[in-house]
Amino acid sequence: MAQPPTVAELTHPIALALGGNWRPQQALHGVQELAHAANLTHLDGRQLHLSERYDDPGHLYVRGAFPATDYPFRRGERDSVRVAMDEDPARIAALISDRLIPAHRAVHQRVKDHNREQAAMRRQTEEAARELAARLPGARTRIDGTSAYVHMSLEPGEVRIGLEGGSVNIVLQDAPLIIADAVVFAVSRFLPDIQTPEDERGQHADEFDL
């Protein structure tokens, strides 16, 4: 009885059946080529992952691959196609084209858009935090993705400023009134999108969520 082809062997005829924009790509573990896994890469950067699962021998699983992201995938956005590995490659390609590629194309674009927006937000947050810290003597900055923290130790007390997305949070602990007023003024004037009442003063609260 003839043995079904390996995933690596199937990838090339499937790529041919899908059309000239898809290229087969060997999956590697270190420098070792894998027989049970492979990739199909589109000229626009999209990628499909093909594999034979150890708990379901003789069947090919094809799923869309995505760049590293914190995009909140919803149900159905990472579905896969399962087909017998001894099926005709043209039939496998037709199933992939019909059931997988359209949805994967749309979700892949959403992931790219999300990553681009997150990258822009990270750059803006980092720039704002560093420029704000430069205006506060002795302040230290910590960047964590799209969030940033500016900390200034005082004698006595401390000031902590958190930036996340479009919000700014200021915590003043045992801060002298003149420092509290200066920090609130600096943040409200430095970040033009933040609205601070003209009569807001440091003695009114220990924490401001602007």
Side-chain angles (χ1 to χ4, degrees), residues 166 188 191-195:
S188 63
L191 302 174
D193 294 335
I194 304 301
Q195 299 298 318

Side-chain angles (χ1 to χ4, degrees), residues 113-199:
D113 292 343
H114 174 84
N115 284 358
R116 185 163 47 247
E117 292 169 2
Q118 292 293 96
M121 186 179 297
R122 282 194 293 270
R123 289 193 298 270
Q124 293 168 2
T125 299
E126 180 175 354
E127 180 180 353
R130 296 196 187 285
E131 291 190 18
L132 182 58
R135 296 167 182 257
L136 300 173
R140 301 191 307 275
T141 303
R142 178 167 64 87
I143 310 296
D144 184 11
T146 57
S147 300
Y149 306 90
V150 179
H151 180 267
M152 183 170 60
S153 295
L154 306 172
E155 290 295 340
E158 64 178 342
V159 176
R160 298 193 304 274
I161 305 173
L163 296 86
E164 184 169 6
S167 65
V168 179
N169 180 266
I170 305 175
V171 177
L172 305 170
Q173 182 175 336
D174 297 328
L177 175 59
I178 188 172
I179 297 296
D181 283 341
V183 169
V184 174
F185 180 84
V187 172
S188 63
R189 299 307 184 269
F190 174 71
L191 302 174
D193 294 335
I194 304 301
Q195 299 298 318
T196 304
E198 291 298 327
D199 61 349

Side-chain angles (χ1 to χ4, degrees), residues 40-165:
L40 289 169
T41 301
H42 195 273
L43 293 181
D44 66 8
R46 284 178 289 139
Q47 192 172 72
L48 304 176
H49 182 69
L50 294 74
S51 64
E52 180 184 17
R53 289 175 22 175
Y54 74 91
D55 59 346
D56 193 15
H59 288 91
L60 178 69
Y61 285 79
V62 186
R63 59 178 175 81
F66 299 97
T69 186
D70 62 356
Y71 172 82
F73 288 99
R74 296 179 287 272
R75 183 184 297 274
E77 289 189 330
R78 290 190 289 186
D79 286 346
S80 61
V81 170
R82 175 183 179 272
V83 62
M85 292 177 62
D86 57 3
E87 183 68 76
D88 179 64
R91 170 62 177 161
I92 296 175
L95 288 173
I96 294 172
S97 294
D98 181 52
R99 298 184 186 179
L100 187 64
I101 287 179
H104 177 252
R105 183 190 297 115
V107 179
H108 190 270
Q109 185 60 51
R110 288 198 287 271
V111 170
K112 287 176 59 179
D113 292 343
H114 174 84
N115 284 358
R116 185 163 47 247
E117 292 169 2
Q118 292 293 96
M121 186 179 297
R122 282 194 293 270
R123 289 193 298 270
Q124 293 168 2
T125 299
E126 180 175 354
E127 180 180 353
R130 296 196 187 285
E131 291 190 18
L132 182 58
R135 296 167 182 257
L136 300 173
R140 301 191 307 275
T141 303
R142 178 167 64 87
I143 310 296
D144 184 11
T146 57
S147 300
Y149 306 90
V150 179
H151 180 267
M152 183 170 60
S153 295
L154 306 172
E155 290 295 340
E158 64 178 342
V159 176
R160 298 193 304 274
I161 305 173
L163 296 86
E164 184 169 6

